[in-house]
Amino acid sequence: MQIKFNIAPKTGNEIKYIQESIESGKICGDGDFSKKCEGWLTEKTAGKCTLLTTSCTQALEMSAILADIKAGDEVIMPSYTFVSTANAFVLRGARIIFIDIRPDTMNMDEMLIENAMTEKTKAIVPVHYAGVSVEMDKVMELAEKYSLKVIEDAAQGVMSSYKGRALGSIGDYGCFSFHETKNYSMGEGGAVLINNEEDIKRAEIIREKGTDRKRFLRGQVDKYSWVSEGSSYLPSDINAAYLWAQLEMADEIYEDRMSTWRKYREAFKPLESRGLVEFQHIPEECIHNAHMFYIKVKDLQERTKLISHLKEREITAVFHYVPLHSAEAGYKFGEFRGEDRYTTTESERLLRLPLYYQMQEADQQRVIDAVMEFYA
Ligand SMILES: *Cc1c(COP(=O)(O)O)cnc(C)c1O
């Protein structure tokens, strides 16, 4: 039996809630389940305002509009990330400035940010890779010093924290993903966290096609009309119903993933102590969410061999992120500033192992045995 890399999380209440949503007669955005999810997320992150979106990509796009990113502005981010982190700003006409990562967390190296700045720099986009936080104190210190916006790509960071603060709630805006490959899912979906009171009204308008419909629904204005630029970023309540079935069991999902994560970590310790593989570093001030279990092997060649070794044993292991600066669009829309010491080489060594909610113990063991066999 094939061990898949990922299986979308399913807790058992999804159908019931979807049915409830349908029977409520109100399946468009901002319905009862959307409100439940948003309320839960705001409480969990101790945030000010959470708005569900149709993806993290769109949460990032909304953030780029909110941050007033204009043609010619520069935005600093790691090259080792998903395309949406960059595209959201490219769509506003910005130039993407890629900086190197730290090899221990695969996150942007906070000590390289200041050198990458010019007068055109408008925003910093920390990506919390694998649900482990970027060194946010430094990022926020620089943002304050130079009056820059901070947009957290916390797509992988739901339920993770930095010095006790939820990822996504630290910068000006935080973006979550509820894609089926993430810890909590609604198929396709996301959320944007608005962390400054004065941005909330604008965010609601941008998300509702540039209208003040949300204020109208709350009875604050007697008709709604076109008040600014905007688009349709809100998901159907049917999708939110699916998500609610996950969020109400968030702790269970968290614990379940964490136990698989710990099991892998324990099992591969002998490989790590012999220097055959490297583990992800979890800094002291970070609590992660077991979004991902990866190992770093010797080099690209060894990784290719290990992937096919696992494939022969019907196990799907994947890597990702060809660094954006080396992709066709990366040349066109951005540049790498500083030296690429780690981005390319470290990304070539990283391999992700299967990890999903309710992964069977026997399957975990098969993965462990297969990796151990490779190194035997
Ligand atoms: C998954 C992911 C995204 C995109 O999320 P969608 O919800 O699929 O749009 C963006 N950034 C990072 C780092 C991601 O992992």
Side-chain angles (χ1 to χ4, degrees), residues 54-58 60 81-85 127-129 153-156 176-179 181-182 188-190 291 320-321:
T54 48
S55 63
C56 179
T57 301
Q58 298 218 300
L60 287 159
T81 184
F82 188 60
V83 292
S84 297
T85 321
V127 180
H128 305 298
Y129 185 68
D153 183 339
Q156 305 175 7
F176 284 161
S177 174
F178 301 116
H179 185 261
T181 53
K182 301 304 200 288
E188 300 279 352
H291 173 62
H320 60 170
Y321 302 157

Side-chain angles (χ1 to χ4, degrees), residues 13-192:
N13 282 331
E14 286 82 0
I15 290 287
K16 185 172 134 224
Y17 293 152
I18 288 169
Q19 183 126 20
E20 275 178 36
S21 173
I22 294 169
E23 280 164 10
S24 77
K26 200 178 173 304
I27 57 172
C28 68
D30 284 337
D32 291 342
F33 284 104
S34 302
K35 289 200 187 94
K36 272 189 171 158
C37 293
E38 290 174 350
W40 187 95
L41 287 161
T42 301
E43 198 190 307
K44 265 284 169 192
T45 57
K48 294 205 171 60
C49 169
T50 309
L51 299 169
L52 286 188
T53 57
T54 48
S55 63
C56 179
T57 301
Q58 298 218 300
L60 287 159
E61 288 177 22
M62 263 187 73
S63 301
I65 298 172
L66 281 162
D68 254 324
I69 302 298
K70 300 253 174 358
D73 290 345
E74 291 185 353
V75 177
I76 298 173
M77 65 180 66
S79 172
Y80 186 67
T81 184
F82 188 60
V83 292
S84 297
T85 321
N87 263 334
F89 300 92
V90 167
L91 284 168
R92 313 306 307 163
R95 185 150 179 85
I96 310 300
I97 306 304
F98 298 112
I99 61 168
D100 210 7
I101 51 170
R102 293 165 40 155
D104 59 349
T105 56
M106 303 296 281
N107 281 333
M108 83 191 314
D109 185 339
E110 70 280 0
M111 301 314 284
L112 301 175
I113 298 170
E114 201 164 10
N115 271 339
M117 286 183 190
T118 67
E119 317 81 80
K120 292 183 187 162
T121 306
K122 197 70 183 288
I124 307 170
V125 188
V127 180
H128 305 298
Y129 185 68
V132 174
S133 182
V134 171
E135 190 44 67
M136 287 304 287
D137 277 355
K138 182 71 187 174
V139 172
M140 297 313 289
E141 177 200 310
L142 292 170
E144 181 125 348
K145 185 169 164 194
Y146 295 100
S147 300
L148 307 175
K149 293 285 186 190
V150 174
I151 297 109
E152 295 179 70
D153 183 339
Q156 305 175 7
V158 183
M159 298 280 278
S160 291
S161 62
Y162 170 79
K163 297 189 176 174
R165 299 175 70 187
L167 301 193
S169 74
I170 304 166
D172 295 279
Y173 317 110
C175 304
F176 284 161
S177 174
F178 301 116
H179 185 261
E180 79 163 38
T181 53
K182 301 304 200 288
N183 292 22
Y184 309 96
S185 179
M186 55 199 276
E188 300 279 352
V192 59

